[in-house]
Amino acid sequence: MRTKITELFGIQHPIIQGGMHFVGFAELAAAVSNAGGLGIITGLTQRTPEALANEIRRCRDMTDKPFGVNLTFLPVIAAPDYPGYIRAIIEGGVKVVETAGNNPQKWLPALHEAGIKVIHKCTSVRHSLKAQTIGCDAVSVDGFECGGHPGEDDVPNFILLPRAAEELKIPFVASGGMADGRSLVAALALGAEGMNMGTRFMATKEAPVHENVKQAIVAATELDTRLVMRPLRNTERVLKNVAVDRLLEKERALGANLKFEDILDEVAGVYPKIMQEGAMDAGAWSCGMVAGLIHDIPSVQELIERIMAEAEDIIRRRLAGFVSA
Ligand SMILES: Cc1cc2nc3c(=O)[nH]c(=O)nc-3n(C[C@H](O)[C@H](O)[C@H](O)COP(=O)(O)O)c2cc1C
């Protein structure tokens, strides 16, 4: 399948694996790229630029296909060493960067000068247009369904994607709620040039997370996610668990007085415990509503082959059948 996104990134299939904290290590990124998609290493999971440089080297040892690095610009007090991370990306010869969070404008000249394509992930048409204006090469349009941070506008992809198509000139991929060939064909029908998946890639053999995490996703239904940190305007969609119940109770009790310090136990530094130790109630962790569509733990190669075969079958048989004489 050829789309503007496969052309832009030099990949076989229009499928991207979005950056995921403590999930997007070299093993997963390489598996996705080897299967013909675009794998992405999560920059900030690496504690220092040197560690990121090493992760990029590890990924290159596992694949000769293109892969990317995610750089998330967070609303934190002590900013990470972004110039150092950018240097590691450039010196590592990475050709794609997925930015997310704040406006990446400041870093674009250095990245573009190094021949790096930038895809900015955003949750609104407004921010997508801004990304286009400042010179991003593509956007990842992340609907309200998505795992992680859906923003504060709550517009689901059935509206957000065609709205993005009405406004944008640069190519975009659909992100949030994508799981299979049906998602891909629907995304293309709504104007996207491909799709980005997070939660679906976590439940794969190669995802370097504890088996408990994969089983929790398979067991979850589309009713099992919750939105946390809404009062802080830092909304995150997470899988419901004991810690999330406690967090939501604090939000209810404190109302407008809630501060980030009040929920540190539930959100700060919990990812290694969950993703690596499998302590499923240790805190809040991002998960999309799409968990309801995830029923197995295939290899990345099996997953991508299945998606592409299903997409082709839908286009050639089901859809063509509706219009043929
Ligand atoms: C466990 C997890 C961690 C994530 N961490 C990040 C992150 O650090 N930076 C980022 O830009 N997006 C992050 N995301 C969002 C994904 O890249 C992607 O946009 C999202 O998962 C798409 O929605 P889906 O889960 O419905 O596929 C994370 C998602 C999950 C599920």
Side-chain angles (χ1 to χ4, degrees):
M1 192 181 275
R2 275 176 62 172
T3 74
K4 287 179 185 154
I5 285 292
T6 61
E7 304 276 289
L8 183 66
F9 297 137
I11 53 177
Q12 194 185 350
H13 307 302
I15 300 176
I16 301 177
Q17 166 249 317
M20 287 181 279
H21 199 37
F22 277 91
V23 182
F25 292 97
E27 285 78 6
L28 181 59
V32 173
S33 289
N34 281 331
L38 183 73
I40 293 189
I41 295 171
T42 313
L44 295 192
T45 300
Q46 303 301 322
R47 295 183 62 128
T48 61
E50 293 69 36
L52 177 59
N54 188 48
E55 198 66 8
I56 292 168
R57 271 193 299 273
R58 286 208 315 120
C59 196
R60 200 170 298 296
D61 285 345
M62 289 185 262
T63 185
D64 53 11
K65 302 269 179 62
F67 61 88
V69 172
N70 167 285
L71 267 187
T72 303
F73 302 107
L74 295 166
V76 290
I77 307 146
D81 178 8
Y82 287 116
Y85 285 106
I86 300 268
R87 214 165 32 247
I89 289 166
I90 293 172
E91 287 172 3
V94 171
K95 290 293 168 228
V96 182
V97 165
E98 178 196 49
T99 52
N102 282 340
N103 184 330
Q105 184 165 17
K106 187 172 164 192
W107 314 104
L108 287 183
L111 292 171
H112 278 154
E113 211 164 287
I116 296 172
K117 303 277 188 242
V118 177
I119 179 164
H120 185 58
K121 189 161 55 196
C122 37
T123 57
S124 68
V125 174
R126 193 169 74 252
H127 292 147
S128 302
L129 280 172
K130 183 73 188 176
Q132 173 173 285
T133 306
I134 64 174
C136 291
D137 301 281
V139 281
S140 203
V141 176
D142 218 12
F144 183 52
E145 308 87 331
C146 73
H149 293 268
E152 311 301 327
D153 291 348
D154 302 356
V155 183
N157 268 334
F158 242 89
I159 309 296
L160 190 59
L161 298 173
R163 277 291 297 122
E166 284 176 2
E167 304 267 352
L168 286 173
K169 293 198 172 59
I170 55 173
F172 66 95
V173 297
S175 179
M178 305 287 135
D180 51 33
R182 296 171 301 183
S183 321
L184 178 56
V185 176
L188 298 172
L190 295 173
E193 299 281 331
M195 68 176 178
N196 177 65
M197 304 194 293
T199 306
R200 175 63 271 195
F201 277 123
M202 246 199 298
T204 56
K205 289 204 174 85
E206 292 92 340
V209 298
H210 197 281
E211 188 62 22
N212 291 355
V213 177
K214 303 180 189 184
Q215 294 298 343
I217 293 170
V218 171
T221 78
E222 63 277 21
L223 303 176
D224 293 332
T225 70
R226 295 290 180 270
L227 296 175
V228 298
M229 294 192 280
R230 178 127 269 190
L232 300 174
R233 291 189 65 75
N234 184 30
T235 301
E236 183 181 359
R237 186 180 297 284
V238 299
L239 193 70
K240 177 178 155 32
N241 63 16
V242 171
V244 168
D245 288 344
R246 200 168 58 229
L247 197 171
L248 289 172
E249 189 45 47
K250 288 183 190 178
E251 289 186 2
R252 268 190 292 274
L254 293 168
N257 295 324
L258 182 83
K259 298 195 182 52
F260 189 65
E261 298 78 66
D262 298 317
I263 56 167
L264 281 180
D265 282 352
E266 286 78 26
V267 299
V270 298
Y271 268 71
K273 290 182 212 153
I274 294 157
M275 298 299 170
Q276 290 168 352
E277 295 165 30
M280 299 315 296
D281 285 320
W285 58 282
S286 293
C287 179
M289 285 179 151
V290 73
L293 293 175
I294 298 173
H295 310 301
D296 62 356
I297 305 170
S299 72
V300 167
Q301 176 88 27
E302 283 162 356
L303 176 65
I304 291 185
E305 276 175 8
R306 188 167 80 194
I307 291 170
M308 295 314 299
E310 190 188 10
E312 200 172 318
D313 185 62
I314 294 172
I315 294 168
R316 286 190 198 282
R317 299 200 328 169
R318 184 170 156 77
L319 299 186
F322 289 136
V323 291
S324 62

